[in-house]
Amino acid sequence: MNTTLRWAGAGMALGGILIVGRMAPIFAILPDDMAFPPEAAEDLVRLVDLAGFRWQLSHGLGFAAVILFIAGYWAQAGALADAGHRIIGRIAALIATIAFGSFAVALLTDGFLFPEAAMAFLAGGPKAPSLVEAAGVHEQALLFFTPAMFLMFVAMAVLSSRLLHGFIHSRWLGGFGMIVGVAGPTAYLFGVTGPNWSNMQISGSLMMLGFLWLFLIGLVSLFGRGVRQSH
């Protein structure tokens, strides 16, 4: 297996750890009387205030993870292209770039611009934003987050098709990715994930499965046999 794919696999595995582990600083200070994600703007601002620097840390870890995922997808596409399978791998990488690029914008907006607006609201003063204006910054982040999650699953399904055909890595991992990759958009289109993937019981489970798949893709890229040249 080529060195680039191994390094990218290590990055994807690390990204899988970071994207899940980034929630630990927030859950550590989440009040017992508050749902997650917070349902009311007041609770959201309160959570940012309680989190302090942990809010930026959480979103910064997520930003690092999505950059690693983008690099990993392009490494998968490159490995497939070197073995004569160009088109689908590159389509998957392009979709993943749009998905995780949008996720990155959402993370930067919610992680850094929203706390600034929330703190300005809490500080008060004649130039302070209203609660609606402060919460509006969070809503702007959701405009990028919602399609990002949808496209993340699409990219999974497209790349998984190469695994299912035995071109790269393992068929069982391709089957797992295809099931999750189809289930995510289907659940969203039928409205069971919530409009912004806010139904944590369903959408949270789907996203965790998606991140697990990315982590496993990273591991098999690092330790597996990569592209099967016989195809």
Side-chain angles (χ1 to χ4, degrees), residues 94-108:
L94 179 59
I95 296 171
T97 300
I98 297 171
F100 291 119
S102 297
F103 198 174
V105 174
L107 287 163
L108 292 176

Side-chain angles (χ1 to χ4, degrees), residues 15 22 57 60 90 93 116 130-131 142 165 169 179 184 190-191 199 206 214 230-231:
R22 77 182 189 89
L57 173 62
R90 290 179 178 176
E116 182 179 346
S130 65
L131 177 61
L142 292 178
H165 281 86
H169 305 316
I179 291 171
F190 277 90
N199 182 348
L206 287 169
L214 289 166
S230 60
H231 290 276

Side-chain angles (χ1 to χ4, degrees), residues 57-76:
L57 173 62
S58 173
H59 288 74
L61 292 174
F63 181 81
V66 298
I67 298 303
L68 290 171
F69 291 149
I70 292 173
Y73 262 93
W74 282 107
Q76 307 296 322

Side-chain angles (χ1 to χ4, degrees), residues 199-216:
N199 182 348
M200 285 294 101
Q201 187 173 5
I202 296 176
S203 62
S205 298
L206 287 169
M207 284 188 279
M208 288 302 105
L209 288 173
F211 297 146
L212 173 62
W213 183 83
L214 289 166
F215 173 75
L216 293 175

Side-chain angles (χ1 to χ4, degrees), residues 27-139:
F27 286 137
I29 54 86
L30 185 69
D32 293 335
D33 62 347
M34 185 181 296
F36 188 87
E39 298 176 357
E42 293 88 346
D43 286 341
L44 192 58
V45 169
R46 177 187 169 204
L47 182 58
V48 171
D49 186 33
L50 289 171
F53 77 93
R54 296 177 183 85
W55 190 268
Q56 287 86 350
L57 173 62
S58 173
H59 288 74
L61 292 174
F63 181 81
V66 298
I67 298 303
L68 290 171
F69 291 149
I70 292 173
Y73 262 93
W74 282 107
Q76 307 296 322
L80 285 166
D82 290 343
H85 310 290
R86 298 177 182 274
I87 297 177
I88 302 299
R90 290 179 178 176
I91 291 174
L94 179 59
I95 296 171
T97 300
I98 297 171
F100 291 119
S102 297
F103 198 174
V105 174
L107 287 163
L108 292 176
T109 302
D110 196 52
F112 298 92
L113 298 182
F114 175 55
E116 182 179 346
M119 292 304 100
F121 163 73
L122 292 174
K127 295 185 179 180
S130 65
L131 177 61
V132 172
E133 291 171 331
V137 180
H138 175 72
E139 295 298 323

